[in-house]
Amino acid sequence: MDNSLSLLRRGLDALRLTVPDGGPERLTAWSAELLKWNEKVNLTAITRPEEVVDKHLLDSLAVVPEVAGARHLLDLGAGAGLPGVPLLVALPDLQATLVDAVAKKVAFIKVGGVKAGVAARLKAVHARAEGSPGTEGLPVVDLVIARAFMDVGRFTRLAVKYLSPGGRVVAMVGQVPAASELDDAASAAGLEVGSVRRFTLPLSGDPRGVVVFHVKHP
Ligand code: SAH
């Protein structure tokens, strides 16, 4: 057995984040299921339970400040369900649609959503997102997010196709691109850079970043 639950609690304290009662237990149940599936189906390159806590759960939860207040989140290229599933656990009023082009990943998103106790607020879609929400079965939402999906410029141009007026696009990155690249990514999509925040993962200290883009006001 591992000490995922105590590590997760320690990480949440470091992030100064509270999640609803039972949330940490549901997240570690999700992690255990992920690693179980991962023995047969390739869902993640991360296989140590402590690393799943740090690099998957806590990294996803670290962007709660950027996501809070959104009603419906669309997670593009969600893979095993990241960051969408941990965010649903942390934010009980959030609805989310998670999409991935690989069927076995979508199958896990659904099973993981049940383990995490968020299935009622989660829709998992097997599709390749190419910017046509209607034909892809994808919604238009107030927040589009992705982690480890594509470079920021391609992501913003794709994400705006799914964005309702006044919405925002959140890019989770390992390394924050130069300001000029962010400005280009914003303007190519009719967006402007709202905020840039650098942080470190609570357990490993690895650097991460989160960039928020807003619809540009005329
Ligand atoms: N967001 C997850 C997975 C990142 S890997 C995480 O952070 O762990 C990128 C994922 O995007 C892969 O699972 C891949 O299948 C998916 N993907 C790539 N292009 C896509 C597209 N156009 N539409 C949907 N999924 C896509």
Side-chain angles (χ1 to χ4, degrees), residues 56 75-80 82-83 99-102 105 127-129 147-150 158:
H56 285 336
D75 184 350
L76 292 179
L82 299 160
V99 56
D100 202 278
V102 176
K105 296 190 177 180
R128 174 164 291 276
R147 184 184 82 151
F149 180 51
M150 42 176 67
L158 181 63

Side-chain angles (χ1 to χ4, degrees), residues 119-174:
R121 294 180 287 122
L122 166 66
K123 194 175 170 209
V125 179
H126 175 216
R128 174 164 291 276
E130 283 174 337
S132 310
T135 54
E136 294 158 357
L138 294 175
V140 170
V141 298
D142 58 339
L143 192 143
V144 181
I145 193 166
R147 184 184 82 151
F149 180 51
M150 42 176 67
D151 73 64
V152 180
R154 273 181 70 209
F155 171 53
T156 52
R157 275 180 282 137
L158 181 63
V160 283
K161 309 279 202 240
Y162 304 91
L163 205 61
S164 59
R168 61 194 192 268
V169 175
V170 178
M172 297 173 65
V173 292

Side-chain angles (χ1 to χ4, degrees), residues 63 66 170-173 176 195-197 199 208-212:
V63 303
E66 279 76 13
V170 178
M172 297 173 65
V173 292
V176 176
S195 63
V196 180
R197 181 167 66 90
F199 61 94
R208 294 288 186 272
V210 55
V211 183
V212 181

